[in-house]
Amino acid sequence: MKKLAITLLIPLCGYAATAQTKRKPATKKATVAPVKMTGITDSASYAFGFSMASGLKANGVKALNYDLLMKGLKDVFQGHAPLLTEQSSQKVIGNLFKGITMEKYAAEIAKEKNFLEGNLKVPGVRSTASGLQYIVVSPGNGASPKPTDNVTVNYKGTLLNGKQFDSSYDRKEPLSIGVDRVIPGWTEGLQLMTPGSKYKFFIPYNLAYGERPMGQDIPPYSMLIFEVELLKVNSK
């Protein structure tokens, strides 16, 4: 009985192999008529489209609604009323690129978030309602600066990975600046300090430069770590 089963299986296997190797009848591919450019307007139109798309793709845009893209072009050239106001247009474009940038830096954003959550468990680390974290390295004396004051400080700034991007110590030149003329994390942090004190600040990206890069050293969505020494307060 076992031998019979094996005998029956052999031709079936052969049929299956034959069936799998049979080729499907070839289907004719739809032919696409070549685009003809008969004048300077045609050539320039294509060049505008190609150049615009190349720039958008290079900045992370993967696809667009091409029907609405064409409608936008036609509405301008044909004098039709726009579907969006100029303000709304700028907002949706900004939100699109913001989303693209967030996706690109999602891993770094998550890493910084995890660091800040864990950093709260470190002895000596304090946090404000805004999310600014700090350590009092050494206390000072006197009155804290107000937003309207000018201060003189020494500082060193690094990224989470330890890369230094700025240091007044290296320049051997303290910085004098208005308390309200710096990133939000600094404006808030300086008002916690007193002359002669030294603090270490852990500044979330939303209190730093946000989704914007700052030069070549600070990428978008960067948490910043600063060691700041308040030398003196100069009232305006």
Side-chain angles (χ1 to χ4, degrees):
M1 189 69 184
K2 188 174 181 181
K3 185 177 181 180
L4 177 61
I6 295 172
T7 307
L8 289 172
L9 184 61
I10 292 171
L12 288 173
C13 290
Y15 175 78
T18 306
Q20 289 176 3
T21 56
K22 285 183 179 179
R23 295 182 179 179
K24 294 181 180 180
T27 55
K28 292 183 178 180
K29 293 184 178 179
T31 57
V32 179
V35 177
K36 294 182 179 179
M37 291 181 281
T38 58
I40 186 66
T41 300
D42 290 349
S43 299
S45 297
Y46 179 80
F48 278 128
F50 193 91
S51 177
M52 179 174 65
S54 297
L56 290 171
K57 186 176 181 180
N59 282 283
V61 179
K62 297 177 181 178
L64 292 171
N65 184 319
Y66 305 114
D67 292 336
L68 286 172
L69 176 65
M70 288 303 301
K71 178 170 175 54
L73 291 170
K74 289 179 179 179
D75 283 351
V76 171
F77 284 105
Q78 295 175 1
H80 297 161
L83 300 180
L84 296 172
T85 64
E86 183 177 353
Q87 184 177 6
S88 296
S89 295
Q90 293 299 323
K91 184 176 180 179
V92 296
I93 290 172
N95 287 339
L96 173 65
F97 283 110
K98 182 178 180 179
I100 290 170
T101 307
M102 284 195 75
E103 183 179 354
K104 181 179 179 181
Y105 291 95
E108 288 301 317
I109 294 172
K111 187 185 297 184
E112 292 172 358
K113 180 181 178 183
N114 291 336
F115 172 84
L116 288 169
E117 289 174 353
N119 199 43
L120 287 174
K121 302 173 185 178
V122 176
V125 174
R126 307 176 190 177
S127 181
T128 68
S130 70
L132 172 70
Q133 295 181 14
Y134 65 96
I135 295 174
V136 180
V137 179
S138 56
N141 293 291
S144 297
K146 301 183 293 295
T148 54
D149 288 333
N150 184 287
V151 295
T152 301
V153 298
N154 265 324
Y155 68 93
K156 180 178 77 171
T158 61
L159 301 177
L160 180 58
N161 61 12
K163 180 181 178 181
Q164 180 178 300
F165 56 81
D166 195 9
S167 173
S168 67
Y169 295 105
D170 290 351
R171 292 192 301 272
K172 296 180 174 56
E173 183 181 359
L175 172 70
S176 291
I177 196 166
V179 175
D180 60 353
R181 301 298 298 272
V182 287
I183 57 175
W186 263 57
T187 297
E188 182 179 7
L190 286 170
Q191 294 177 78
L192 300 173
M193 304 179 73
T194 54
S197 65
K198 185 174 183 178
Y199 280 42
K200 187 172 185 178
F201 294 111
F202 305 89
I203 304 178
Y205 73 80
N206 60 300
L207 297 177
Y209 297 107
E211 67 270 16
R212 296 177 292 118
M214 183 53 58
Q216 296 183 351
D217 295 325
I218 303 178
Y221 296 101
S222 288
M223 185 198 83
L224 306 180
I225 301 174
F226 281 98
E227 295 177 17
V228 180
E229 184 181 2
L230 180 58
L231 302 179
K232 58 180 179 178
V233 178
N234 311 303
S235 298
K236 287 183 180 180

